[in-house]
Amino acid sequence: MSGPEIAAGVTAGSQLAKLFFDIYNMMKRTDVEVKVLVECSDYACRSGNVLVKVMNKSSDVPAHDIEARLGITAITMDIHNNDGVKIQTKYLDDYLVDTKSTYYAVDGEVLPWVKGNERIYGPITIKPWLSEKFLVLEFVRSDVDHIITIPVRDGIKLRLGDYDKYMLDITISGPNIKEPNNIKLYITKEKINAVCDLKYWVRRCKSNIN
């Protein structure tokens, strides 16, 4: 066999090996299913958490090194006077509860996985047909402004008034997830109140039945 024929055979063999390796890797990839949850901290749901449950839908492939990262944006709101002239545009740092804190953009920050009372800031493995939850935000409701806490490492507390809106852009990814999952949550005072009030009335109905 001549030199060119040997080289062609080695190249073909390498391509075939790569093909089998790619097929093997595809078989070892998995899908995940995500679901947004609201959990109340008290009976009237005046405070609580917004979480995302991530379920590994594979029957035999663990989802390795899964993590959730967050970007947050305050939907800018133009403030006008009585004559309709714009006098102010509000941005995310205008909503900080602690005005003395140093604001930094939330872009690609890691969100914590929640296991009991423990928070894990980093990737985890989810076994087949099991699920884990990560924390998106904590909220405290009031008759004026709600307070939401974004659980990045330093923690950010923001006011949530009647006309305020935040967009949370969450990406769930891992080396063997077939496609990264992207969730966009639009957080308003009205939406939080609607969910919490519903959960409260469901509890009341159940207690009345029992």
Side-chain angles (χ1 to χ4, degrees), residues 156-168:
I156 298 176
K157 287 191 175 183
L158 300 167
R159 291 186 301 274
L160 182 62
D162 292 333
Y163 303 102
D164 301 332
K165 179 188 288 187
Y166 299 104
M167 183 187 76
L168 307 185

PDB file of all heavy atoms in Angstrom, residues 156-168:
ATOM      1  N   ILE A 156     -29.428  42.139  46.070  1.00  0.00           N
ATOM      2  CA  ILE A 156     -29.883  43.453  45.627  1.00  0.00           C
ATOM      3  C   ILE A 156     -31.352  43.598  46.007  1.00  0.00           C
ATOM      4  O   ILE A 156     -32.178  42.774  45.615  1.00  0.00           O
ATOM      5  CB  ILE A 156     -29.715  43.626  44.110  1.00  0.00           C
ATOM      6  CG1 ILE A 156     -28.244  43.530  43.723  1.00  0.00           C
ATOM      7  CG2 ILE A 156     -30.278  44.970  43.652  1.00  0.00           C
ATOM      8  CD1 ILE A 156     -28.008  43.596  42.238  1.00  0.00           C
ATOM      9  N   LYS A 157     -31.686  44.648  46.772  1.00  0.00           N
ATOM     10  CA  LYS A 157     -33.071  44.911  47.145  1.00  0.00           C
ATOM     11  C   LYS A 157     -33.605  46.057  46.294  1.00  0.00           C
ATOM     12  O   LYS A 157     -32.994  47.118  46.197  1.00  0.00           O
ATOM     13  CB  LYS A 157     -33.167  45.269  48.633  1.00  0.00           C
ATOM     14  CG  LYS A 157     -32.972  44.084  49.546  1.00  0.00           C
ATOM     15  CD  LYS A 157     -33.331  44.433  50.981  1.00  0.00           C
ATOM     16  CE  LYS A 157     -33.238  43.195  51.870  1.00  0.00           C
ATOM     17  NZ  LYS A 157     -33.647  43.481  53.262  1.00  0.00           N
ATOM     18  N   LEU A 158     -34.789  45.805  45.696  1.00  0.00           N
ATOM     19  CA  LEU A 158     -35.394  46.774  44.788  1.00  0.00           C
ATOM     20  C   LEU A 158     -36.828  47.059  45.205  1.00  0.00           C
ATOM     21  O   LEU A 158     -37.530  46.182  45.696  1.00  0.00           O
ATOM     22  CB  LEU A 158     -35.385  46.232  43.349  1.00  0.00           C
ATOM     23  CG  LEU A 158     -34.029  45.903  42.735  1.00  0.00           C
ATOM     24  CD1 LEU A 158     -34.220  45.085  41.470  1.00  0.00           C
ATOM     25  CD2 LEU A 158     -33.251  47.172  42.434  1.00  0.00           C
ATOM     26  N   ARG A 159     -37.252  48.293  44.985  1.00  0.00           N
ATOM     27  CA  ARG A 159     -38.653  48.647  45.202  1.00  0.00           C
ATOM     28  C   ARG A 159     -39.478  48.220  43.996  1.00  0.00           C
ATOM     29  O   ARG A 159     -39.014  48.269  42.858  1.00  0.00           O
ATOM     30  CB  ARG A 159     -38.786  50.160  45.414  1.00  0.00           C
ATOM     31  CG  ARG A 159     -38.208  50.668  46.714  1.00  0.00           C
ATOM     32  CD  ARG A 159     -38.509  52.156  46.901  1.00  0.00           C
ATOM     33  NE  ARG A 159     -37.954  52.950  45.819  1.00  0.00           N
ATOM     34  CZ  ARG A 159     -36.708  53.399  45.806  1.00  0.00           C
ATOM     35  NH1 ARG A 159     -35.888  53.123  46.811  1.00  0.00           N
ATOM     36  NH2 ARG A 159     -36.265  54.118  44.792  1.00  0.00           N
ATOM     37  N   LEU A 160     -40.710  47.823  44.268  1.00  0.00           N
ATOM     38  CA  LEU A 160     -41.632  47.432  43.198  1.00  0.00           C
ATOM     39  C   LEU A 160     -42.950  48.154  43.444  1.00  0.00           C
ATOM     40  O   LEU A 160     -43.762  47.737  44.265  1.00  0.00           O
ATOM     41  CB  LEU A 160     -41.828  45.919  43.181  1.00  0.00           C
ATOM     42  CG  LEU A 160     -42.739  45.352  42.083  1.00  0.00           C
ATOM     43  CD1 LEU A 160     -42.175  45.643  40.701  1.00  0.00           C
ATOM     44  CD2 LEU A 160     -42.934  43.851  42.267  1.00  0.00           C
ATOM     45  N   GLY A 161     -43.149  49.276  42.730  1.00  0.00           N
ATOM     46  CA  GLY A 161     -44.356  50.075  42.893  1.00  0.00           C
ATOM     47  C   GLY A 161     -45.436  49.685  41.906  1.00  0.00           C
ATOM     48  O   GLY A 161     -45.299  48.736  41.121  1.00  0.00           O
ATOM     49  N   ASP A 162     -46.522  50.443  41.922  1.00  0.00           N
ATOM     50  CA  ASP A 162     -47.686  50.127  41.093  1.00  0.00           C
ATOM     51  C   ASP A 162     -47.375  50.144  39.598  1.00  0.00           C
ATOM     52  O   ASP A 162     -47.983  49.397  38.826  1.00  0.00           O
ATOM     53  CB  ASP A 162     -48.823  51.112  41.379  1.00  0.00           C
ATOM     54  CG  ASP A 162     -49.392  50.929  42.777  1.00  0.00           C
ATOM     55  OD1 ASP A 162     -49.308  49.800  43.297  1.00  0.00           O
ATOM     56  OD2 ASP A 162     -49.917  51.903  43.338  1.00  0.00           O
ATOM     57  N   TYR A 163     -46.452  50.991  39.169  1.00  0.00           N
ATOM     58  CA  TYR A 163     -46.192  51.155  37.737  1.00  0.00           C
ATOM     59  C   TYR A 163     -44.812  50.659  37.328  1.00  0.00           C
ATOM     60  O   TYR A 163     -44.350  50.952  36.234  1.00  0.00           O
ATOM     61  CB  TYR A 163     -46.348  52.628  37.344  1.00  0.00           C
ATOM     62  CG  TYR A 163     -47.710  53.182  37.685  1.00  0.00           C
ATOM     63  CD1 TYR A 163     -47.893  53.983  38.801  1.00  0.00           C
ATOM     64  CD2 TYR A 163     -48.828  52.858  36.914  1.00  0.00           C
ATOM     65  CE1 TYR A 163     -49.151  54.477  39.135  1.00  0.00           C
ATOM     66  CE2 TYR A 163     -50.086  53.342  37.231  1.00  0.00           C
ATOM     67  CZ  TYR A 163     -50.238  54.153  38.346  1.00  0.00           C
ATOM     68  OH  TYR A 163     -51.483  54.635  38.672  1.00  0.00           O
ATOM     69  N   ASP A 164     -44.171  49.913  38.211  1.00  0.00           N
ATOM     70  CA  ASP A 164     -42.823  49.425  37.929  1.00  0.00           C
ATOM     71  C   ASP A 164     -42.877  48.031  37.303  1.00  0.00           C
ATOM     72  O   ASP A 164     -43.795  47.251  37.576  1.00  0.00           O
ATOM     73  CB  ASP A 164     -41.981  49.379  39.211  1.00  0.00           C
ATOM     74  CG  ASP A 164     -41.857  50.744  39.862  1.00  0.00           C
ATOM     75  OD1 ASP A 164     -41.932  51.745  39.124  1.00  0.00           O
ATOM     76  OD2 ASP A 164     -41.689  50.799  41.101  1.00  0.00           O
ATOM     77  N   LYS A 165     -41.861  47.730  36.521  1.00  0.00           N
ATOM     78  CA  LYS A 165     -41.776  46.414  35.882  1.00  0.00           C
ATOM     79  C   LYS A 165     -40.305  46.043  35.703  1.00  0.00           C
ATOM     80  O   LYS A 165     -39.511  46.869  35.262  1.00  0.00           O
ATOM     81  CB  LYS A 165     -42.475  46.422  34.519  1.00  0.00           C
ATOM     82  CG  LYS A 165     -42.405  45.079  33.780  1.00  0.00           C
ATOM     83  CD  LYS A 165     -42.940  45.175  32.352  1.00  0.00           C
ATOM     84  CE  LYS A 165     -44.428  45.329  32.314  1.00  0.00           C
ATOM     85  NZ  LYS A 165     -44.956  45.251  30.920  1.00  0.00           N
ATOM     86  N   TYR A 166     -39.984  44.804  36.065  1.00  0.00           N
ATOM     87  CA  TYR A 166     -38.632  44.289  35.849  1.00  0.00           C
ATOM     88  C   TYR A 166     -38.699  43.103  34.895  1.00  0.00           C
ATOM     89  O   TYR A 166     -39.613  42.280  34.985  1.00  0.00           O
ATOM     90  CB  TYR A 166     -38.002  43.818  37.166  1.00  0.00           C
ATOM     91  CG  TYR A 166     -37.862  44.897  38.202  1.00  0.00           C
ATOM     92  CD1 TYR A 166     -38.732  44.955  39.280  1.00  0.00           C
ATOM     93  CD2 TYR A 166     -36.870  45.865  38.113  1.00  0.00           C
ATOM     94  CE1 TYR A 166     -38.617  45.941  40.240  1.00  0.00           C
ATOM     95  CE2 TYR A 166     -36.746  46.858  39.059  1.00  0.00           C
ATOM     96  CZ  TYR A 166     -37.630  46.891  40.129  1.00  0.00           C
ATOM     97  OH  TYR A 166     -37.516  47.881  41.065  1.00  0.00           O
ATOM     98  N   MET A 167     -37.708  43.029  34.010  1.00  0.00           N
ATOM     99  CA  MET A 167     -37.581  41.854  33.155  1.00  0.00           C
ATOM    100  C   MET A 167     -36.399  41.038  33.649  1.00  0.00           C
ATOM    101  O   MET A 167     -35.273  41.533  33.704  1.00  0.00           O
ATOM    102  CB  MET A 167     -37.366  42.235  31.695  1.00  0.00           C
ATOM    103  CG  MET A 167     -37.317  41.006  30.773  1.00  0.00           C
ATOM    104  SD  MET A 167     -36.860  41.392  29.072  1.00  0.00           S
ATOM    105  CE  MET A 167     -35.094  41.640  29.250  1.00  0.00           C
ATOM    106  N   LEU A 168     -36.667  39.783  34.024  1.00  0.00           N
ATOM    107  CA  LEU A 168     -35.619  38.867  34.446  1.00  0.00           C
ATOM    108  C   LEU A 168     -35.349  37.892  33.307  1.00  0.00           C
ATOM    109  O   LEU A 168     -36.242  37.166  32.874  1.00  0.00           O
ATOM    110  CB  LEU A 168     -36.038  38.102  35.704  1.00  0.00           C
ATOM    111  CG  LEU A 168     -36.518  38.934  36.895  1.00  0.00           C
ATOM    112  CD1 LEU A 168     -36.773  38.033  38.089  1.00  0.00           C
ATOM    113  CD2 LEU A 168     -35.523  40.011  37.248  1.00  0.00           C
TER     114      LEU A 168
END
